[in-house]
């Protein structure tokens, strides 16, 4: 090894603290930057894996009565639809009143369930529960539900647990008027467990949808297609309503015709018993006509709904916006870390070159070229950058996305975060570190080497002392002890040092306050909202279309 | 004195700071002299006289304001920074008053530092032995005395095998006896190799050991004489 290289190597060994303090500080800045930059795409990729594994539908169509086969064919033939999966769904309360469950028929191809324990139901009295309930029930147990017209049985044997990309949250999976108003979990049963044959849920995959989940390309295109399908559904539902209503009208007409006949009959009879029978029949018919009218009201509220992923999948939108939130953070937080790291390493590298002034001069006197002398320092600086970037990026790519994802996913039922490489932020971070190391050396060594060799070999002339402003306040100045005076002078003499200290402390304090502030603000939200702002425990809504609406308020 | 060819010729050389201003300083003022090959030359003068400036010019460490500096057939006064660096590397060995050794390297490595960039160097170990430090090669400068460090510096300068060995107040930081030893090394070097040594000093009492004495006062040459009968330094007392 050449002696000039050996010299730098020995310098490295002799000042390990300096080398490692710069390296680790840079590593920290790189860690935060690369880690945060990697988090959003990693979170999105993780979700995309979930969706791919389940083959999550692009859209879900639903209606309370169920879709007829001709309606399904109509939808299938729509030019935007690639494939449809038919399913049934109903909501039930458990007999012990503790859980409200969305029970669905096991999806075959689209929006599949992923079995995490046990196996799929093989018989119609078997059930697979969502992971949301894995702490409340065991495999092999029986689960009882309150009577539900849609299901053949009230008791099921639990044969497994599963996850679903349509029900990703751990709780509060939707609103219902059963139990406490919130859906707690989903569960899967065989189609044969349902009483009704007409599917009331259609899972849709669209043609010509490019882009990935959460990309604008995908989400905007999806919205268009869903709107298009909704229009189609509006037509279908109108037809259905009209058909149903005309059926009922027919029945009403028939009943009214019978009423007329009965009235005529009544007019012709004088027999009391016969009259009584006729009156009874008329009352029955009147009842039936009333019921039919009510039915027409209910039918007028029949809607077919088309929902995009953000609407039917509980957790889809939230996870997307959670990931996006981190992007904002990744553009601001690292600035502080880098600012502090850059300032410190900049100062240290410059000081190192200044310290070695006489040695640099000696080498120059011996006949070493500026290039050869400077390259040693560039090597040292470059090494801190490289090592710092490797450590920071390595840890950042692994730790931060995992930690952040897990904190968001704590309330979800999801697999582990999916980590990937992100070269661009690593390269950007590396260049930034070079600014504070290699560039710092450049700024210090270039003017130094430009001087005459004999000047370099002499120690640097100290800067002349200056009186500071405070000294003009003689009454105050005279009260200070000598040490205090020296301190005051020093603060202003070494301005660079002063600013570094102030900015460094300011930046670090800002970050601490931000962190704690955020934590405290978020913790305050629930008590303030539900303790001070919202004072009710229950909300009741008047349904002015109800049968007894007019009776409300009367005694 | 035998007739030998010229190694150095200075013609009207001046080094001027703040030229044409009120605070103009002429560190070297219109110097002209000649140094022949194989000379032991002493440049003597009191502090601030301008002798170090002159030595720096001869060593290619500094540029001149006026005049010509012919060394070994080239006029180095017109050299660029790069050319001067090359000249320094190949033709000059420098010994400084404060040794200027690299503390992170051993004595031997310090010598190798110089010898690695030279074209036709002497073996570093040989150079160390020739200054009597064959046993101290693996010590670091902070572990050595002043005299030993200066000898390392001399070995470093010699190892390059330069045409010209320059020493700026080499005994300034040393005691009388140690200083004498160093001067003896220079003297023996001239006698053994026939190469030039130029020593700058403020101690006029060692003038008798040189072939050629140049006295500088106030930046100008006051005296430029040759000793017909020089006295070996070990016989000098001061």
């Amino acid at each position: 090894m050449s002696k000039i290289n050996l010299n730098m190597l020995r310098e490295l060994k002799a000042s390990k603290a300096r080398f490692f303090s710069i390296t680790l500080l840079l590593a920290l800045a790189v860690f935060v930057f690369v880690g945060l930059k990697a988090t959003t795409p990693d979170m999105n990729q993780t979700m995309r894996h979930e969706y791919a594994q389940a083959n999550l539908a692009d859209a879900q169509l639903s209606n309370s009565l169920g879709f007829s086969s001709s309606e399904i064919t109509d939808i299938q033939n729509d030019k935007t639809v690639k494939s449809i999966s038919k399913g049934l769904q109903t909501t039930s309360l458990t007999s012990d009143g503790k859980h409200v469950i969305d029970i669905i028929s096991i999806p075959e191809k689209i929006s599949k369930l992923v079995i995490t324990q046990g196996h799929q139901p093989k018989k119609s009295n078997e059930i697979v529960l969502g992971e949301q309930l894995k702490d409340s029930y065991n495999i092999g147990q029986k689960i009882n539900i309150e009577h539900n017209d849609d299901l053949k049985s009230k008791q099921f044997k639990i044969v497994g647990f599963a996850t679903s990309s349509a029900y990703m949250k751990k709780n509060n999976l939707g609103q219902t008027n059963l139990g406490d108003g919130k859906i707690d979990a989903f569960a899967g049963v065989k189609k044969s467990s349902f009483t009704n044959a007409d599917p009331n849920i259609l899972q849709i995959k669209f043609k010509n949808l490019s882009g990935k989940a959460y990309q604008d390309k995908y989400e905007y295109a999806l919205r268009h297609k869903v709107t298009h399908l909704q229009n189609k559904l509006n037509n279908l539902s109108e037809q259905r309503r009209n058909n149903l209503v005309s059926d009922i009208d027919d029945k009403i007409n028939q009943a009214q015709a019978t009423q007329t006949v009965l009235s005529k009959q009544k007019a012709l009879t004088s027999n009391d018993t016969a009259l009584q029978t006729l009156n009874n029949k008329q009352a029955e018919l009147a009842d039936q006509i009333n019921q039919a009218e009510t039915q027409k009201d209910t039918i007028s509220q029949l809607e077919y709904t088309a929902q995009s992923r953000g609407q039917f999948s509980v957790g889809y939108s939230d996870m997307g916006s959670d990931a996006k939130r981190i992007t904002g953070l990744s553009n601001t937080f690292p600035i502080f870390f880098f600012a502090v790291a850059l300032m410190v390493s900049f100062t240290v590298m410059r000081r190192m070159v200044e310290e070695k002034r006489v040695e640099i001069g000696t080498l120059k006197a011996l006949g070493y070229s500026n290039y050869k002398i400077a390259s040693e320092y560039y090597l040292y600086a470059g090494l801190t950058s490289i090592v710092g970037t490797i450590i920071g990026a390595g840890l950042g790519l692994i730790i931060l996305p995992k930690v952040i994802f897990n904190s968001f996913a704590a309330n979800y039922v999801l697999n582990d975060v999916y980590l990937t490489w992100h070269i661009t932020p690593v390269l950007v971070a590396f260049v930034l570190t070079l600014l504070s190391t290699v560039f710092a050396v450049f700024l210090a060594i270039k003017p130094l080497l430009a001087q005459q060799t004999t000047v370099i070999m002499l120690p640097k002339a100290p800067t002349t002392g200056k009186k500071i402003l405070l000294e003009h306040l003689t009454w105050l100045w005279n009260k200070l002890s000598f040490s205090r005076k020296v301190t005051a002078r020093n603060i202003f003499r070494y301005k660079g040092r002063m600013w570094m200290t102030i900015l460094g402390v300011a930046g670090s304090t800002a970050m601490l306050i931000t962190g704690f502030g955020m934590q405290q603000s978020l913790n305050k939200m629930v008590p303030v909202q539900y303790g001070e702002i919202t004072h009710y425990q229950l909300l009741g809504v008047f349904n002015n279309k109800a049968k007894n609406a007019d009776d409300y308020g009367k005694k | 004195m035998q007739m030998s060819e010229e190694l150095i010729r200075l013609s009207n050389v001046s080094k001027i700071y703040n030229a044409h201003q009120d605070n103009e300083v002429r560190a070297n003022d219109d110097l002209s002299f000649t140094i022949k090959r194989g000379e032991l030359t002493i440049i003597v003068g009191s502090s601030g006289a301008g002798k170090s400036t002159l030595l720096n010019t001869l060593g290619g460490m500094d540029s001149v304001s006026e005049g010509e500096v012919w060394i070994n057939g080239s006029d180095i006064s017109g050299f660029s920074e790069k050319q001067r660096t090359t000249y320094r590397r190949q033709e000059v060995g420098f010994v400084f008053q404060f040794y200027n050794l690299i503390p992170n390297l051993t004595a031997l490595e310090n010598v190798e530092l110089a010898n690695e960039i030279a074209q036709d160097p002497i073996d570093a170990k040989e150079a160390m032995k020739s200054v009597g430090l064959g046993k101290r090669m693996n010590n670091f400068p902070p572990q050595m005395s002043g005299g030993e460090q200066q000898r390392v510096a001399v070995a470093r300068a010699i190892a390059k095998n330069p045409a010209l060995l320059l020493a700026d107040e080499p005994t300034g930081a040393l005691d009388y006896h140690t200083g004498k030893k160093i001067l003896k090394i220079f003297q023996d070097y001239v006698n053994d190799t026939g190469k030039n040594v130029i020593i700058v000093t403020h101690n006029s009492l060692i003038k008798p050991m040189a072939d050629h004495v140049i006295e500088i006062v106030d930046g100008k040459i006051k005296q430029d004489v040759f000793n017909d009968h020089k006295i070996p330094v070990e016989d000098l007392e001061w």
Side-chain angles (χ1 to χ4, degrees):
Chain A
M1 185 189 290
S2 70
K3 296 299 160 293
I4 195 169
N5 285 344
L6 183 62
N7 185 24
M8 189 46 82
L9 183 64
R10 297 247 176 94
E11 177 60 37
L12 234 152
K13 284 189 192 166
S15 62
K16 283 195 199 107
R18 170 165 57 196
F19 181 80
F20 281 115
S21 68
I22 304 181
T23 304
L24 290 177
L25 206 50
L26 291 175
L28 185 63
V30 172
F31 169 78
V32 171
F33 178 73
V34 170
L36 287 179
K37 282 287 169 196
T39 299
T40 302
D42 280 357
M43 280 175 77
N44 285 340
Q45 265 316 98
T46 306
M47 299 317 291
R48 287 173 194 149
H49 269 255
E50 293 274 328
Y51 306 148
Q53 201 182 15
N55 192 22
L56 183 66
D58 296 319
Q60 201 177 78
L61 312 181
S62 55
N63 94 49
S64 42
L65 284 184
F67 294 93
S68 70
S69 41
S70 61
E71 281 174 329
I72 294 176
T73 313
D74 200 348
I75 295 169
Q76 176 91 66
N77 289 338
D78 187 282
K79 60 178 169 29
T80 60
V81 171
K82 183 162 83 175
S83 52
I84 298 188
S85 186
K86 298 176 276 201
L88 291 143
Q89 185 242 310
T90 185
T91 312
S92 283
L93 179 65
T94 53
S95 319
D96 57 9
K98 281 194 188 157
H99 298 113
V100 178
I101 307 179
D102 250 11
I103 301 179
I104 62 175
S105 60
I106 301 276
E108 283 145 36
K109 296 200 192 90
I110 305 177
S111 301
K112 292 184 285 194
L113 301 184
V114 175
I115 304 289
T116 51
Q117 295 175 50
H119 59 83
Q120 300 237 8
K122 298 195 180 120
K123 303 189 196 140
S124 53
N125 65 348
E126 289 180 352
I127 194 168
V128 144
L129 296 181
E131 279 264 319
Q132 291 90 352
L133 295 175
K134 72 170 192 252
D135 294 328
S136 310
Y137 293 93
N138 297 316
I139 295 179
Q141 242 183 303
K142 299 256 168 54
I143 181 172
N144 297 305
I145 54 166
E146 296 224 321
H147 177 77
N148 185 331
D149 283 332
D150 294 331
L151 293 168
K152 289 176 185 165
S153 169
K154 289 203 292 189
Q155 189 186 75
F156 291 90
K157 183 168 138 196
I158 301 168
V159 294
F161 289 95
T163 61
S164 166
S165 292
Y167 297 94
M168 292 189 284
K169 287 206 174 157
K170 275 193 182 155
N171 44 39
N172 210 343
L173 295 161
Q175 283 180 326
T176 173
N177 47 18
L178 296 176
D180 63 356
K182 295 192 309 250
I183 297 176
D184 300 305
F186 72 94
V189 296
K190 288 186 67 112
K191 213 174 261 192
S192 49
S193 311
F194 283 86
T195 52
N196 203 344
D198 281 348
N200 57 1
I201 294 272
L202 299 177
Q203 310 275 5
I204 306 283
K205 282 291 220 188
F206 286 111
K207 287 181 193 161
N208 302 329
L209 254 192
S210 57
K212 305 183 205 165
Y214 304 122
Q215 281 184 339
D216 283 343
K217 193 161 70 156
Y218 173 84
E219 302 291 337
Y220 287 160
L222 178 60
R223 220 179 284 173
H224 283 303
K225 293 197 198 262
V226 169
T227 311
H228 163 82
L229 261 194
Q230 181 66 66
N231 290 337
K232 183 185 209 71
L233 287 185
N234 291 343
N235 290 340
L236 287 177
S237 65
E238 196 182 325
Q239 274 179 39
R240 185 77 172 277
R241 284 195 295 274
N242 292 342
N243 289 343
L244 289 171
V245 163
S246 72
D247 278 349
I248 292 176
D249 279 343
D250 282 347
K251 289 201 183 116
I252 293 177
N253 291 338
Q254 269 189 4
Q256 280 173 341
T258 315
Q259 289 280 48
T260 319
V261 167
L262 286 175
S263 300
K264 285 198 181 137
Q265 283 185 344
K266 267 181 23 178
L268 295 175
T269 304
S270 45
N271 187 326
D272 276 344
T273 14
L275 262 175
Q276 191 67 14
T277 325
L278 286 173
N279 279 335
N280 288 345
K281 279 197 186 149
Q282 278 204 325
E284 249 185 73
L285 278 173
D287 246 354
Q288 283 181 5
I289 291 173
N290 272 343
Q291 275 186 21
E293 292 289 343
T294 318
Q295 259 196 328
K296 273 169 64 173
D297 269 340
T298 318
I299 286 167
S300 71
Q301 289 181 26
L302 175 68
E303 298 279 349
Y304 288 7
T305 316
Q307 291 178 307
S308 65
R309 276 186 179 176
Q311 296 163 308
F312 76 80
S313 162
V314 181
Y316 183 88
S317 302
D318 284 348
M319 262 320 219
S321 47
D322 285 344
K324 239 194 196 154
R325 210 163 288 144
I326 300 298
T327 309
L329 212 63
S330 76
N331 290 332
T332 51
F333 227 61
I335 293 178
F336 287 102
F337 279 90
F338 257 110
V340 172
L342 293 193
M343 281 195 297
V344 173
S345 48
F346 202 86
T347 311
V348 172
M349 291 311 299
R350 291 195 71 173
R351 199 172 292 168
M352 183 183 171
V353 170
E354 278 166 17
E355 258 174 42
K356 295 268 165 193
R357 191 191 163 97
V358 174
E359 188 177 289
I360 289 172
T362 306
L363 288 170
K364 220 175 156 189
L366 286 175
Y368 279 90
S369 63
N370 287 354
Y371 169 77
K372 201 90 231 313
I373 298 172
S375 59
E376 298 297 309
Y377 293 88
Y378 287 132
L379 245 151
Y380 184 98
L383 205 61
T384 63
S385 274
I386 292 173
V387 176
T389 302
I390 290 177
I391 296 176
L395 291 176
L397 286 172
I398 296 173
I399 296 180
L400 268 186
K402 206 177 173 95
V403 166
I404 294 176
F405 177 82
N406 285 344
S407 73
F408 280 123
N411 215 29
Y412 291 70
V413 178
L414 291 169
N415 289 322
D416 250 341
V417 69
Y418 190 81
L419 299 171
T420 45
W421 288 108
H422 300 279
I423 295 295
T424 314
V426 175
L427 290 177
V428 170
F430 180 62
V431 170
L432 284 174
T433 61
L434 286 180
L435 267 179
S436 70
T437 52
V438 171
F439 189 59
V441 167
F442 174 79
L443 285 182
I445 214 171
K446 193 126 174 77
L448 181 65
L449 287 172
Q451 292 173 61
Q452 292 287 13
T453 312
T454 44
V455 174
I456 303 174
M457 284 174 67
L458 290 172
K460 191 174 180 184
T463 50
T464 45
K466 266 184 273 191
K467 285 197 165 188
I468 59 174
L469 275 174
L470 196 64
E471 293 189 52
H472 295 305
L473 305 171
T474 39
W475 53 273
L476 180 61
W477 188 251
N478 290 335
K479 288 219 172 84
L480 293 174
S481 72
F482 180 73
S483 296
R484 293 271 156 85
K485 285 184 179 148
V486 170
T487 309
R489 281 253 181 96
N490 276 346
I491 290 175
F492 292 99
R493 183 184 163 115
Y494 302 108
K495 286 202 176 61
R497 208 176 289 178
M498 174 184 79
W499 282 115
M500 293 285 189
T501 311
I502 291 176
L503 290 175
V505 171
S508 307
T509 310
M511 286 193 290
L512 271 175
I513 302 268
T514 305
F516 282 118
M518 268 163 57
Q519 183 193 50
Q520 301 219 350
S521 300
L522 291 172
N523 280 344
K524 269 269 167 76
M525 269 171 67
V526 169
V528 169
Q529 177 69 44
Y530 293 105
E532 296 170 33
I533 298 175
T534 306
H535 287 287
Y536 57 85
Q537 283 81 40
L538 198 64
L539 192 65
V541 178
F542 178 66
N543 178 7
N544 58 7
K545 286 199 180 152
K547 207 158 60 154
N548 305 328
D550 294 336
D551 296 339
Y552 183 75
K554 292 184 191 158
K555 286 266 164 93
Chain B
M1 195 168 57
Q2 63 214 144
M3 285 302 290
S4 9
E5 43 174 311
E6 264 177 26
L7 180 69
I8 298 174
R9 171 185 286 274
L10 260 68
S11 300
N12 309 105
V13 167
S14 300
K15 177 75 182 171
I16 308 169
Y17 295 100
N18 300 323
H20 314 304
Q21 290 172 46
D22 285 340
N23 52 352
E24 179 185 281
V25 168
R26 292 186 161 240
N28 287 154
D29 197 354
D30 198 26
L31 304 179
S32 301
F33 59 82
T34 312
I35 293 177
K36 296 195 169 63
R37 284 190 193 278
E39 266 185 33
L40 174 61
T41 316
I42 291 186
I43 300 176
V44 73
S46 49
S47 297
K51 37 189 210 302
S52 291
T53 310
L54 175 57
L55 201 69
N56 290 336
T57 300
L58 293 172
M61 302 264 274
D62 225 333
S63 55
V64 296
S65 311
E66 291 168 2
E68 292 170 7
V69 182
W70 290 89
I71 301 184
N72 219 356
S74 315
D75 177 11
I76 71 168
S77 64
F79 274 13
S80 66
E81 174 64 38
K82 269 214 176 89
Q83 286 170 309
R84 265 187 275 134
T85 303
T86 311
Y87 163 73
R88 267 203 311 280
R89 183 164 67 244
Q90 292 171 355
E91 312 278 350
V92 177
F94 228 113
V95 179
F96 304 99
Q97 182 177 2
F98 294 106
Y99 335 130
N100 288 54
L101 299 177
I102 310 289
N104 276 337
L105 298 175
T106 63
L108 181 63
E109 286 162 354
N110 263 284
V111 176
E112 285 170 335
L113 184 66
N115 132 331
E116 272 169 10
I117 53 168
Q119 282 176 316
D120 186 21
I122 293 178
D123 175 57
K125 289 191 178 139
E126 287 304 314
M128 284 289 280
K129 285 185 193 150
S130 73
V131 299
L133 289 175
K135 297 249 165 72
R136 303 279 275 152
M137 294 197 271
N138 295 322
N139 288 104
F140 287 91
Q143 298 167 323
M144 301 169 91
S145 70
E148 287 169 332
Q149 287 186 59
Q150 193 61 299
R151 280 189 277 160
V152 175
V154 173
R156 179 177 68 183
I158 291 175
K160 278 211 261 176
N161 210 2
L164 190 56
L165 193 65
L166 304 176
D168 192 352
E169 308 266 18
T171 58
L174 302 170
D175 65 81
Y176 172 73
H177 287 293
T178 319
K180 246 186 167 181
K181 283 196 194 138
I182 297 293
L183 291 172
K184 180 159 162 46
I185 293 174
F186 286 129
Q187 172 187 278
D188 292 344
Y189 180 75
V190 172
N191 293 340
D192 296 341
T193 64
K195 292 199 177 175
N196 283 64
V197 170
I198 305 179
I199 302 174
V200 152
T201 181
H202 59 265
N203 181 5
S204 45
L205 296 170
I206 62 168
K207 285 196 286 194
M209 74 175 271
D211 293 309
H212 183 174
V213 177
I214 301 172
E215 193 178 330
I216 309 269
V217 173
D218 271 342
K220 298 187 173 62
I221 295 184
K222 186 167 173 206
Q223 240 193 357
D224 185 352
V225 293
F226 292 86
N227 282 338
D228 287 332
H229 305 289
K230 63 180 183 182
I231 301 173
V233 69
E234 51 267 41
D235 297 338
L236 281 179
E237 301 282 329
W238 62 88

